[in-house]
Amino acid sequence: MQNSAPGRSPDRPPARGRGRPRGFDREAALGQAMRLFWRKGFTATSISDLTQAMGIGSPSLYAAFGSKEALYAEALRHYGERYEASVWANFAAADTARAAVEALLMDSAAALTGSSGGEEPRGCMVTLSAAGSEGPAELGALVCAARARGFDRVVARLERAAAEGEIGPAADVACLARFVMTVQGGMSLQARDGANRTELEAVARQAMRGWDAGVAAAGTGACRAGPHQG
């Protein structure tokens, strides 16, 4: 923020510097930045784009958030806090691993296509982010860590299912988890390109048929780790 200019008349109120308006709502401004990054990506979003969307000047943006990079990191956190439950809550509450995976994919079909209401961009901000390849390495690490948390959740749920006997001991849990997350990631790209909820729900149902076949094949070792597994 800029200081008031020296030598002003004592009868005149101090001039307001460009930037943060009275009643600045940091959370609302952060939400606008999040949507812009979500829609355009880190590199394609300029400071001018951000200040226009957030309704503040660049001095106030830097004063409130530090830098474009720090704002993106905070927007990524805000995205997780705001939208995580819409995709993962039913997954966590499901009684079986199969029901959990089905809930994850069906809820993703709704969330990724904006079917829950609002004016959010289509697709997943984390999945679609290219910050790791087009921005600072630190932001890429944050995005990769966010993606990894989803994979780790699925792995943990499938390990529990294996321990409880829901899936066979021969099942490669990492193989199944990567299958699930690959489907979800593809759904995000399809949503960004215009696929609707009904179309993505059909994808989810097809994926569950693949899940059933994979779990059944686990008894024969068909989904075991191989030398080329990532």
Side-chain angles (χ1 to χ4, degrees), residues 94-132:
D95 292 333
T96 65
R98 189 191 190 284
V101 169
E102 185 173 28
L104 173 64
L105 296 180
M106 295 298 280
D107 288 348
S108 292
L112 295 172
T113 54
S115 299
S116 56
E119 300 179 355
E120 287 79 3
R122 286 171 161 259
C124 170
M125 180 180 177
V126 175
T127 301
L128 297 173
S129 174

Side-chain angles (χ1 to χ4, degrees), residues 52-63:
Q52 182 176 0
M54 298 165 75
I56 58 176
S58 57
S60 288
L61 185 151
Y62 289 113

Side-chain angles (χ1 to χ4, degrees), residues 76 84 126 132 137-153 181:
L76 199 66
E84 179 178 291
V126 175
E138 294 81 1
L139 293 184
L142 284 177
V143 171
C144 287
R147 291 173 182 152
R149 283 193 292 274
F151 173 73
D152 291 344
R153 283 176 177 171
M181 298 310 293

Side-chain angles (χ1 to χ4, degrees), residues 112-113 122-123 128 183-196 199-200 203:
L112 295 172
T113 54
R122 286 171 161 259
L128 297 173
V183 172
Q184 190 199 37
M187 290 169 68
S188 180
L189 292 170
Q190 289 291 305
R192 175 56 61 94
D193 288 344
N196 61 37
E199 291 167 334
L200 294 188
V203 170

Side-chain angles (χ1 to χ4, degrees), residues 24 26 29-30 54 56 60-67 70-71 74:
F24 173 70
R26 193 179 191 280
L30 180 59
M54 298 165 75
I56 58 176
S60 288
L61 185 151
Y62 289 113
F65 299 100
S67 66
L71 175 56
E74 196 163 342

Side-chain angles (χ1 to χ4, degrees), residues 32-122:
Q32 292 299 327
M34 175 200 70
R35 291 181 186 88
L36 195 58
F37 282 132
W38 185 353
R39 182 176 295 109
K40 298 184 66 174
F42 175 80
T43 298
T45 301
S46 69
I47 292 295
S48 177
D49 292 333
L50 289 165
T51 56
Q52 182 176 0
M54 298 165 75
I56 58 176
S58 57
S60 288
L61 185 151
Y62 289 113
F65 299 100
S67 66
K68 179 183 172 183
E69 292 78 9
L71 175 56
Y72 184 87
E74 196 163 342
L76 199 66
R77 173 194 59 76
H78 185 71
Y79 175 84
E81 292 176 349
R82 181 161 183 176
Y83 297 103
E84 179 178 291
S86 66
V87 172
W88 291 100
N90 290 326
F91 171 90
D95 292 333
T96 65
R98 189 191 190 284
V101 169
E102 185 173 28
L104 173 64
L105 296 180
M106 295 298 280
D107 288 348
S108 292
L112 295 172
T113 54
S115 299
S116 56
E119 300 179 355
E120 287 79 3
R122 286 171 161 259

